[in-house]
Every structure is written in C-alpha cells, then in structure tokens.
C-alpha cells in the first residue's frame, strides 16, 4: 500500500510538472500567486523592521504576544486596503469607468507603499470620526483622470 501511495504521488508531481511546462497561462497564474505571497512577506518584514526587526521581549509568552501584534497589524493593513480598493473600484464603475477585470487580478491589498512605518502616529479620534460618511467610511480622494486623447 505504501509503495502505491508513493507511486501515485510521483505520478501527480509528473502531471503537475508537465502541465506547468506546457501551459504558459498556468505558469503566469502560479507566478502571480507566488508574488502575492512574497508581497505579504515584504509587508510583514517592513512592519517588523520598523521596530528594527528584533524581538524585544525576554520571555516566550511576551515574544509570542509581539508576533501576534505583528499579525494583527498586518491583517489590519490588508483588510483596510482590500476594503478601500473595493470602494474605489465600485466608485469607478458607478462613474461608468470601464476596465478589464484581468487588471484587478494585479491589485493586491498587501501593497504597502502608502504605509508609514516609522515615527509616532497620533490620531485625532473625534476628527477622524467626523470625516466618516453615513456608511462609516472615510471619503475617497478624487483625482482628475486625464484621457489619452487630451
């Protein structure tokens, strides 16, 4: 039985390798998924290195707590970005902006060029709450779109 399972596993790996080598679209899809994973790791590294990448706690429980904080911050950034990307896409569609859904496959909520990792952040909670719309979101920034013909 064990040898049959090993042979089945070898067969599956062979079929995967053949499909991967023969299908360029499949290779691109795999590469895109790998890139998404790498982008998530880059976000986590950026968050960790903002604290100089060091575990600052002495005890295991405290180190675990620090890593959970990193996970919480990562998830917060990803959720915020995903939500506001969705709001932006919905606003563009309401404005009759047409774009291919294939383009959306390249927008990842783990992109973090807009995140400021260093320094002290102070938040005016009352001021921020006053900016929220009736659905509880901050207003989207409107940018002037220049068409290719103008």
């Amino acid at each position: 039985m064990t040898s049959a399972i090993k042979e089945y596993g070898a067969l599956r790996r062979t079929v995967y390798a053949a499909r991967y080598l023969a299908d360029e679209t499949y290779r691109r899809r795999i590469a895109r998924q790998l890139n998404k994973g790498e982008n998530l790791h880059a976000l986590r590294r950026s968050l960790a290195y903002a604290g100089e990448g060091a575990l600052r706690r002495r005890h295991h429980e405290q180190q675990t707590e620090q890593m959970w904080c990193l996970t919480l911050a990562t998830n917060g950034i990803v959720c915020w970005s995903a939500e506001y990307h969705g709001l932006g896409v919905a606003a563009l569609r309401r404005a009759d902006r047409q774009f291919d859904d294939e383009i959306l496959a390249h927008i990842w909520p783990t992109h973090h060029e807009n995140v400021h990792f260093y320094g002290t952040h102070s938040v005016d909670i009352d001021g921020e709450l006053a900016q929220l719309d009736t659905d509880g979101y901050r207003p989207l920034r409107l940018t002037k779109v220049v068409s290719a013909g103008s």
Side-chain angles (χ1 to χ4, degrees):
M1 181 68 171
T2 303
S3 63
I5 292 173
K6 286 181 183 178
E7 291 300 319
Y8 178 73
L11 176 64
R12 295 281 302 176
R13 286 189 300 276
T14 303
V15 168
Y16 171 79
R19 179 176 180 204
Y20 185 84
L21 292 172
D23 188 351
E24 184 178 349
T25 304
Y26 185 66
R27 283 195 307 272
R28 286 184 185 183
R29 193 170 65 203
I30 296 293
R32 187 168 45 233
Q33 288 304 110
L34 290 172
N35 288 338
K36 287 179 182 180
E38 287 302 316
N39 204 288
L40 178 62
H41 293 306
L43 170 60
R44 291 180 60 85
R45 272 192 307 277
S46 295
L47 283 167
Y49 284 112
E52 298 173 3
L55 288 173
R56 304 235 179 249
R57 307 293 182 212
R58 297 183 76 184
H59 302 290
H60 177 70
E61 296 83 19
Q62 293 171 329
Q63 291 174 357
T64 301
E65 183 178 281
Q66 185 178 350
M67 297 314 298
W68 277 113
C69 289
L70 174 62
T71 299
L72 180 64
T74 302
N75 291 346
I77 290 170
V78 169
C79 288
W80 177 275
S81 297
E83 187 70 19
Y84 277 87
H85 284 156
L87 290 172
V89 167
L92 288 171
R93 287 188 170 150
R94 279 193 307 274
D96 291 328
R97 290 287 309 276
Q98 301 300 319
F99 48 90
D100 189 6
D101 285 337
E102 179 63 25
I103 293 172
L104 295 178
H106 297 281
I107 298 175
W108 309 332
T110 54
H111 285 290
H112 52 276
E113 291 79 19
N114 61 324
V115 178
H116 179 64
F117 297 106
Y118 303 99
T120 302
H121 302 279
S122 55
V123 177
D124 174 17
I125 295 175
D126 292 330
E128 290 294 324
L129 289 174
Q131 292 181 34
L132 301 181
D133 64 14
T134 56
D135 293 327
Y137 293 105
R138 294 177 72 193
L140 296 174
R141 290 187 200 122
L142 301 176
T143 58
K144 184 177 178 183
V145 178
V146 179
S147 65
S150 57

